[in-house]
Amino acid sequence: MEVGAPAGCCCRWEVAAPQSGDIPTLARKGVACLGGAVGTGVGTARLTGTLTSPMSSAGFVVGHAGLYQALAMFAVAYFIIGMTVLSVCAIATNGALDAGGAYYMISRALGPEFGGSIGIMFFLANVCGSALYVLGLVEAVVDSFGIPPAGTGVHVLPQSYWYELLYGTVLLALCLLVCLVGASIYAKATFLIFLVVAGVLGTILVSFFATRPIGVPIRLPHFNGSEIENGSFTGFSLATLRDNLGGGYAVDYTTGQMMSFSSVFAVMFNGCTGIMAGSNMSGDLKHPSYSIPRGTISAVLFTYLVYNLLAFLMCATCNRTLLQKDYGFLRDISIFPPLVTVGIYAATLSAAMSNLIGASRILYALARDDLFGECLEHAGTHQSPSDRLSLLGSSTSWCGVGLVLFSGKLNTIAGVVTTFFLLVYATVNLACLALEWASAPNFRPTFRYFTWHTCLLGIAGCCVMMFLISPVSASASLGFLLLLLLALHYLSPSSTWGYISQALIFHQVRKYLLMLDVRKDHVKFWRPQMLLMVQNPRGSARLIDFVNDLKKSGLYVLGHVELQDLDTLPSDPLQPQQDSWLSLVDKLNVKAFISLTLAPSVRHGVRQLLFTSGLGGMRPNTLVLGFYDDEAPQDGLARHPAFTSAREEVPLGFPPLRAPATPKLLSPREYVGIVADALKMLRNVLLARQLESLDKAWELRRAASPPPAIHVWPVNLLRPDSARYADTCSLFLLQMACVLNMARAWRRARLRLFLCVEAGTMPHAQEEKLRQLLKDLRIQAQIQLVPWDAVTPEEEEGAVNFPANTTQVSDEYVCAANKLVLEQSPAPAVRFLYLPRPPADTSLYPLYLHQLELLTRGLGPTVLVHGVSAVTSTQL
């Protein structure tokens, strides 16, 4: 059944002999083929095809299944259809509809991938459906007027494959002519057909009461020629009704297959899959949000009542032989048989026109949305769809139907048509379900008689019926849909319709963030959550990429502080920068969020970001800063593979790098103050030096022997007397080096852990203790012993007792420590060093920074690490 003014067919097609493998299709059972109408009278005109739809299909159903099972089938089928109708009504009343019907509903709800793929499948379904109805009409006409082999009677039309193809082409040309003239002519034509079919139904209902009991001889095909069986129209008889109450499944005379509950149900359900033809005309309806729900629901209710009424009348007046062996018996018992024939022709022609005009409208909408680029660039014109169909769109659809006619087989088409339609209906239910589950405030349909339960039932019902009717067609359709989805995902341009996936993701993320309770955090499940401060991405591209490897599926935020005062500005200057930062994240292929802020100083801005970044249990626990030195910044973004390989320009919006003579925005004291602030907030701190010189691609792809190394120094080189390999900071340093080694790009690298020992101690005992610690922590690393004796200058040897304050360590000592680190060969890809806590006296901040610079000078890519939280666990 279909929204709008459908038309139906109720034909008696017989085959010369049973064919193995045939299915009892919609056409061969005479189940009505319903089309769609246009105009404001959707509710009235919609009933055209529904009037003839139940006539013969109800006879087939009750003939095999009996009255009780037939009523159950009708209830189940209409329950499935009813669920889908509720979803259609909900979407149709949630805003203005445009041309495209189901395609428009799905694409605006689920996005271009689903919309475009379903649009193509719906277009093909309408094309095949139009061909199905044309072939059915041709068979009906040839059955009445074709020249039989004996050449007797008044039949005048030659019969052959090519003649039938010619008749179908002529009928299809007539449909195209009506469609090209305009929607108003089509609406008038379908209303005229509605009157004819209404007369047919009225005649049939009267015939049940007016026709006297008669015997109906039935000529059936047989392998020896033909055989005659006698059916009976008994009039209203209690005995006939009793005989038809139970099931009596028999062999279908058109296919030679034994019928069962599932096969009869599949045939009956074919006549219930046209609920979208009227919505395809949504661009032509004057008030689609008003007409579609009322026309659809009234038509579904009406046809359900007609099905049940006809089933009862047939069971009470026709014996089972007549019902099972003659699917066109209604003409035999009609008080005016020619009217039934005329109704068959008119309803089938209307159905063909409905599908042809629906296909052209869907193609028009696809072309207008430019989902397939130049493939459909010229399928639409600048004509308004409410005035006239696109000439090329209609012609393309007409050509498609003509190609399908070459198959010449109703059975070949029917299963595909029904499966495609059911897949579209399932997707409409999915679209409504997604809108309901997303709980978006703007989803406010005026039709409220639906819930997510009805959507789920509709999806399940459509999917079950797809595989019940034709498992092969259902599997092939799903595979084709998947291919279209993948093609559109990678090839279609981005749309401005809004993506339901974003609303669903937001809804689920909010729910799970509320469930992420920080009070339930455990060290076993700790992961780094990074806040990387970036002044200008042009000079930090490789650092951004490096920290992305360190995050280990944790939160990653790129922070930036803009030194301006909002009170003196007319608007927020950060909003225009958002797109540039988001484009940067996309191009660098890092999984990071963006957090920008305005502040009078960099230190205040970093404080703001440390306090406000993240949400709920997802907040940065580690601050990453570039190192403060006097080296001239280099534009690493222009040399990054993301831009050099693709020959793309660096995203606009980022200013040029600071010239070497230009003063910095940050003083040494303020830089160390940021480190101190982060430690006070119980944030771990990483200072990255010369990471822009790290060519990760070269380091990790060079010759396999030796593999790249990661050097780890888990001892405070500025205070070796107080350092322990098992303190919190050292363990955090080990953890970060291990996390880097676990990243996919760094798995070839090898960890080398340096154990500093003094003369006169027991190095092997210390080494064994450290090795056991690594074993407990499941960290694979090579341990290398390094003597401290070479670090202390000879003139100070024996006099230095490793003072408690780093300010008392001489520059010579720091340079010696730097030399010790530098001499360890081979040179690693990156080094991890222990970062001492800044001194309590803020006046010593510059000296503290100076010693860090001396310690890391010339070491290449180096990360200074200070941890304040327990991050390792030896428990299961």
Side-chain angles (χ1 to χ4, degrees):
M1 291 164 246
E2 303 176 295
V3 182
C9 63
C10 170
C11 305
R12 177 188 180 185
W13 289 294
E14 297 180 359
V15 294
Q19 300 178 13
S20 61
D22 281 356
I23 59 171
T25 65
L26 173 146
R28 292 204 181 276
K29 291 297 164 284
V31 180
C33 311
L34 308 182
V38 295
T40 56
V42 173
T44 303
R46 161 68 184 82
L47 303 177
T48 304
T50 66
L51 302 182
T52 55
S53 174
M55 293 181 194
S56 57
S57 61
F60 165 76
V61 172
V62 298
H64 286 283
L67 181 61
Y68 291 152
Q69 294 185 40
L71 295 179
M73 288 183 185
F74 297 151
V76 173
Y78 272 83
F79 177 79
I80 295 173
I81 293 301
M83 298 302 99
T84 303
V85 166
L86 296 180
S87 298
V88 171
C89 295
I91 299 177
T93 58
N94 187 53
L97 281 179
D98 206 341
Y103 158 71
Y104 188 86
M105 296 179 186
I106 296 170
S107 62
R108 268 49 179 184
L110 299 182
E113 292 92 347
F114 256 107
S117 55
I118 289 296
I120 287 294
M121 298 191 73
F122 204 20
F123 166 75
L124 295 176
N126 278 275
V127 166
C128 294
S130 183
L132 173 70
Y133 306 144
V134 170
L135 286 174
L137 181 56
V138 169
E139 286 197 15
V141 172
V142 169
D143 184 52
S144 299
F145 301 104
I147 300 176
T152 59
V154 295
H155 302 268
V156 295
L157 296 178
Q159 286 183 255
S160 72
Y161 169 79
W162 293 105
Y163 273 116
E164 292 180 5
L165 182 62
L166 175 63
Y167 304 151
T169 304
V170 172
L171 292 172
L172 186 58
L174 176 62
C175 297
L176 176 65
L177 180 63
V178 174
C179 292
L180 289 177
V181 169
S184 59
I185 298 300
Y186 171 72
K188 294 176 182 177
T190 47
F191 183 72
L192 178 62
I193 293 173
F194 163 72
L195 296 179
V196 173
V197 178
V200 174
L201 179 61
T203 301
I204 293 298
L205 292 177
V206 171
S207 298
F208 280 112
F209 296 91
T211 302
R212 295 180 178 179
I214 58 174
V216 181
I218 305 170
R219 182 182 299 273
L220 297 175
H222 194 267
F223 65 91
N224 287 328
S226 61
E227 61 179 4
I228 303 296
E229 291 194 22
N230 293 317
S232 299
F233 176 78
T234 63
F236 286 96
S237 168
L238 185 60
T240 303
L241 178 62
R242 287 175 178 171
D243 290 340
N244 289 328
L245 289 178
Y249 296 102
V251 175
D252 173 40
Y253 76 91
T254 65
T255 64
Q257 293 182 349
M258 184 66 185
M259 293 290 98
S260 63
F261 182 91
S262 60
S263 60
V264 172
F265 185 50
V267 172
M268 186 275 300
F269 195 81
N270 272 286
C272 306
T273 56
I275 57 175
M276 287 299 230
S279 63
N280 287 345
M281 304 296 105
S282 54
D284 297 300
L285 298 174
K286 191 173 183 181
H287 302 292
S289 295
Y290 175 86
S291 301
I292 289 177
R294 286 161 177 79
T296 308
I297 294 175
S298 61
V300 169
L301 293 176
F302 181 84
T303 51
Y304 178 66
L305 294 175
V306 171
Y307 259 124
N308 285 273
L309 176 61
L310 286 177
F312 175 78
L313 294 176
M314 291 174 181
C315 283
T317 58
C318 303
N319 72 349
R320 195 176 292 271
T321 300
L322 182 63
L323 295 175
Q324 288 184 348
K325 304 300 183 181
D326 186 2
Y327 299 142
F329 71 94
L330 291 176
R331 283 186 297 185
D332 300 326
I333 67 172
S334 174
I335 58 176
F336 190 56
L339 184 60
V340 176
T341 302
V342 172
I344 291 172
Y345 296 165
T348 314
L349 187 64
S350 174
M353 286 191 297
S354 167
N355 281 268
L356 181 61
I357 196 173
S360 62
R361 284 310 178 87
I362 295 168
L363 190 63
Y364 180 94
L366 285 167
R368 181 194 57 197
D369 289 338
D370 195 29
L371 291 186
F372 293 87
E374 297 181 357
C375 298
L376 299 177
E377 181 179 3
H378 304 294
T381 69
H382 297 294
Q383 296 170 314
S384 171
S386 60
D387 297 330
R388 186 164 300 185
L389 287 172
S390 162
L391 174 63
L392 194 54
S394 299
S395 302
T396 303
S397 302
W398 179 79
C399 292
V401 176
L403 291 175
V404 178
L405 287 180
F406 277 94
S407 69
K409 298 291 185 180
L410 291 172
N411 286 2
T412 305
I413 306 171
V416 176
V417 171
T418 304
T419 301
F420 275 18
F421 275 118
L422 284 173
L423 192 57
V424 172
Y425 304 155
T427 313
V428 171
N429 282 298
L430 178 63
C432 187
L433 177 67
L435 290 170
E436 177 70 8
W437 274 355
S439 301
N442 284 320
F443 183 59
R444 298 189 297 270
T446 56
F447 182 86
R448 300 300 303 167
Y449 302 102
F450 76 99
T451 67
W452 64 268
H453 305 85
T454 62
C455 300
L456 276 180
L457 289 172
I459 295 172
C462 290
C463 292
V464 168
M465 286 311 306
M466 274 198 306
F467 286 93
L468 183 63
I469 291 173
S470 178
V472 176
S473 297
S475 301
S477 300
L478 290 174
F480 184 50
L481 174 63
L482 180 61
L483 289 177
L484 288 174
L485 280 171
L486 293 175
L488 284 173
H489 178 73
Y490 290 105
L491 300 178
S492 67
S494 59
S495 70
T496 58
W497 310 331
Y499 292 82
I500 190 63
S501 59
Q502 296 299 303
L504 289 172
I505 291 171
F506 178 89
H507 185 267
Q508 293 301 109
V509 167
R510 181 194 65 85
K511 180 173 70 174
Y512 286 115
L513 273 176
L514 291 172
M515 297 171 61
L516 190 60
D517 191 344
V518 295
R519 295 169 296 182
K520 298 179 181 179
D521 283 347
H522 194 280
V523 66
K524 289 191 299 184
F525 308 112
W526 178 91
R527 67 182 70 238
Q529 304 195 74
M530 304 293 197
L531 171 61
L532 171 61
M533 298 305 305
V534 180
Q535 179 183 353
N536 190 331
R538 294 182 183 273
S540 307
R542 287 181 174 172
L543 176 58
I544 293 173
D545 186 60
F546 178 79
V547 177
N548 187 63
D549 291 335
L550 271 178
K551 71 179 187 308
K552 188 56 180 174
S553 302
L555 179 67
Y556 185 16
V557 180
L558 296 181
H560 173 71
V561 179
E562 193 77 16
L563 298 182
Q564 297 190 57
D565 186 359
L566 190 60
D567 290 339
T568 62
L569 299 173
S571 61
D572 182 7
L574 299 178
Q575 293 301 322
Q577 300 182 28
Q578 286 282 350
D579 287 343
S580 296
W581 284 88
L582 293 174
S583 298
L584 174 74
V585 168
D586 293 337
K587 294 297 183 184
L588 295 182
N589 195 27
V590 296
K591 298 172 182 172
F593 297 95
I594 302 300
S595 186
L596 312 180
T597 188
L598 286 177
S601 69
V602 176
R603 186 174 182 181
H604 281 83
V606 176
R607 282 179 183 172
Q608 292 177 18
L609 294 178
L610 286 173
F611 277 125
T612 61
S613 293
L615 191 64
M618 295 188 66
R619 292 183 179 276
N621 56 29
T622 304
L623 174 67
V624 186
L625 301 172
F627 197 77
Y628 191 97
D629 53 29
D630 296 326
E631 294 183 10
Q634 298 179 356
D635 194 344
L637 201 59
R639 304 191 308 271
H640 195 278
F643 301 98
T644 57
S645 60
R647 296 182 181 179
E648 298 187 34
E649 296 182 359
V650 177
L652 301 177
F654 300 125
L657 289 173
R658 174 183 60 85
T662 306
K664 298 181 179 180
L665 300 177
L666 191 64
S667 67
R669 184 185 299 270
E670 189 176 8
Y671 177 84
V672 179
I674 293 174
V675 175
D677 291 342
L679 296 178
K680 291 177 183 178
M681 296 180 187
L682 299 181
R683 303 299 201 276
N684 311 298
V685 176
L686 273 61
L687 304 184
R689 185 172 191 185
Q690 295 186 354
L691 261 297
E692 288 306 304
S693 65
L694 173 62
D695 190 346
K696 185 175 71 173
W698 181 85
E699 289 284 354
L700 301 179
R701 294 175 186 173
R702 62 184 180 177
S705 181
I710 301 174
H711 285 190
V712 183
W713 295 78
V715 63
N716 187 348
L717 294 176
L718 299 185
R719 287 190 58 192
D721 64 326
S722 63
R724 293 180 303 164
Y725 287 99
D727 69 357
T728 300
C729 186
S730 298
L731 292 177
F732 180 80
L733 189 149
L734 280 172
Q735 181 82 323
M736 296 311 300
C738 181
V739 166
L740 180 65
N741 193 210
M742 294 169 68
R744 178 175 300 177
W746 291 86
R747 286 177 184 171
R748 282 191 59 246
R750 296 293 179 262
L751 291 181
R752 293 183 66 192
L753 184 61
F754 294 91
L755 175 61
C756 299
V757 296
E758 302 177 38
T761 61
M762 300 177 62
H764 296 292
Q766 297 182 43
E767 179 182 2
E768 187 61 30
K769 185 177 179 181
L770 180 58
R771 195 179 304 279
Q772 184 61 41
L773 175 64
L774 295 177
K775 181 179 179 181
D776 293 340
L777 297 176
R778 290 89 60 205
I779 297 177
Q780 296 182 0
Q782 175 189 357
I783 299 177
Q784 182 170 337
L785 301 180
V786 179
W788 272 113
D789 301 341
V791 176
T792 306
E794 293 183 2
E795 61 273 13
E796 297 186 12
E797 195 169 329
V800 176
N801 295 316
F802 300 118
N805 195 308
T806 56
T807 58
Q808 298 180 26
V809 177
S810 65
D811 289 351
E812 289 80 4
Y813 169 80
V814 178
C815 290
N818 169 263
K819 182 179 179 182
L820 176 69
V821 174
L822 191 59
E823 287 176 348
Q824 308 306 316
S825 60
V830 64
R831 290 180 172 90
F832 283 83
L833 302 184
Y834 191 112
L835 174 66
R837 179 179 285 271
D841 187 353
T842 58
S843 64
L844 301 178
Y845 281 0
L847 181 57
Y848 168 82
L849 186 58
H850 169 68
Q851 292 188 340
L852 292 182
E853 194 279 329
L854 288 178
L855 179 64
T856 57
R857 181 179 295 176
L859 295 184
T862 304
V863 182
L864 292 162
V865 181
H866 190 97
V868 296
S869 56
V871 296
T872 58
S873 173
T874 59
Q875 299 178 355
L876 181 64

